[in-house]
Amino acid sequence: MNRIEKSKETYTQLFGDGVPAAYATDPDFQDILSRFIFGEVFYQGSLDNKQRELITLVVLTTNQTLPQLKAHVHAALNVGLTPVEIKEAIYQCAPYIGFPKTLNAVTEVNEVFKARNIALPLESQKQVEEDNRFEKGLAVQIEIFGDVIATMRESTPSNQKHIQDYLSAFCFGDFYTRGGLDLQTRELLTLCIIGSLGGAEGQVKAHVQGNKNMGNDKETMITAITHCLPYMGFPRTLNALACINEMIPEN
């Protein structure tokens, strides 16, 4: 198939048989968009459509492109993602983009779920309690990043130690420990979230190493960041790729 045929096939898998509204007003632009995203990018690398839609959801959430997010929640359900997987991907954004933007996305997701008769709230995926969220979060943090966590905590000034505690208990305890998505998937999504933020290259590099430790190889990371390209643009894509290349040089 050529990219025009591929784009039509992928679009139908994601959104059904409808025609994008932009064809009525901006057909040239819609052709460029559809053929690039659905005829090229979706075919680069070995991620499946479920993984691609999870990535799309977190990048759209990070960028707060909410109308497109709503459309892709429908697409995510259409390709077989569960409501829990979709919600967990959105929740995973919170430590990196903050609660207000995450809540904006949650509202959009809930509207789609209600329209498709998905009962809310979903089954809880919580796996920590108040008395162990720090310890369990720290354990996950060490599992992902290794001995560097102990060094980082030891070198933190006393007046900033609370930030490290929040990182362990909140980011990793409250979110990474949750059910619905495995650690390898959460770490790949986090790379895409931070890459799409822009200006967080130090954290991108750390999560490149985290992804490597979790079993996501360089080609998987390149494919994931490539998939982000149509939604976040070339500057942030190239910056993220530079981080991957710095941490895992080409042979």
Side-chain angles (χ1 to χ4, degrees):
M1 289 189 294
N2 61 36
R3 72 186 195 121
I4 297 174
E5 294 167 334
K6 288 178 178 178
S7 69
K8 290 177 179 177
E9 181 178 284
T10 303
Y11 187 90
T12 300
Q13 290 173 359
L14 297 175
F15 303 108
D17 294 327
V19 177
Y23 271 120
T25 57
D26 301 274
D28 289 352
F29 186 77
Q30 185 62 46
D31 275 342
I32 293 169
L33 181 160
S34 292
R35 293 170 188 179
F36 180 59
I37 296 178
F38 305 118
E40 292 187 73
V41 172
F42 259 79
Y43 288 83
Q44 191 278 325
S46 58
L47 296 178
D48 62 33
N49 281 353
K50 290 183 181 182
Q51 292 170 306
R52 290 178 183 280
E53 280 305 301
L54 287 175
I55 291 169
T56 303
L57 292 176
V58 299
V59 176
L60 295 176
T61 296
T62 302
N63 290 339
Q64 291 291 280
T65 41
L66 300 178
Q68 290 76 20
L69 173 64
K70 182 178 284 188
H72 278 278
V73 175
H74 282 291
L77 292 167
N78 292 343
V79 299
L81 283 167
T82 67
V84 166
E85 289 170 325
I86 292 168
K87 271 288 180 78
E88 289 304 317
I90 302 300
Y91 290 174
Q92 185 70 20
C93 298
Y96 312 105
I97 69 173
F99 286 113
K101 291 177 179 178
T102 307
L103 284 169
N104 287 346
V106 167
T107 298
E108 300 296 321
V109 173
N110 287 343
E111 288 185 10
V112 174
F113 284 4
K114 289 174 184 175
R116 294 182 65 148
N117 297 314
I118 296 167
L120 295 169
L122 302 178
E123 182 180 356
S124 174
Q125 300 299 311
K126 179 181 176 182
Q127 295 188 5
V128 298
E129 302 297 338
E130 282 299 303
D131 62 353
N132 65 12
R133 56 192 282 272
F134 173 80
E135 288 77 12
K136 287 194 171 185
L138 181 60
V140 170
Q141 203 178 2
I142 292 170
E143 182 179 352
I144 295 171
F145 297 106
D147 295 339
V148 67
I149 299 302
T151 302
M152 183 174 65
R153 290 183 61 83
E154 289 168 4
S155 64
T156 299
S158 60
N159 65 349
Q160 297 162 43
K161 187 175 182 297
H162 64 285
I163 298 295
Q164 294 301 322
D165 289 345
Y166 292 167
L167 190 61
S168 297
F170 165 60
C171 180
F172 291 92
D174 290 341
F175 290 101
Y176 269 85
T177 63
R178 292 176 62 82
L181 295 174
D182 60 29
L183 278 183
Q184 187 175 17
T185 300
R186 287 184 184 274
E187 187 56 16
L188 188 63
L189 293 179
T190 297
L191 179 69
C192 296
I193 294 165
I194 297 174
S196 64
L197 276 174
E201 281 69 37
Q203 289 74 26
V204 173
K205 292 174 190 176
H207 282 279
V208 170
Q209 185 62 51
N211 269 273
K212 184 178 178 183
N213 294 344
M214 287 292 97
N216 292 318
D217 61 16
K218 184 175 184 180
E219 290 308 309
T220 298
M221 286 184 258
I222 290 172
T223 301
I225 293 300
T226 301
H227 191 81
C228 298
L229 168 61
Y231 310 109
M232 69 181 186
F234 275 101
R236 291 175 184 181
T237 300
L238 292 171
N239 287 348
L241 286 174
C243 292
I244 293 171
N245 285 323
E246 181 177 332
M247 297 300 295
I248 312 174
E250 289 292 303
N251 293 327

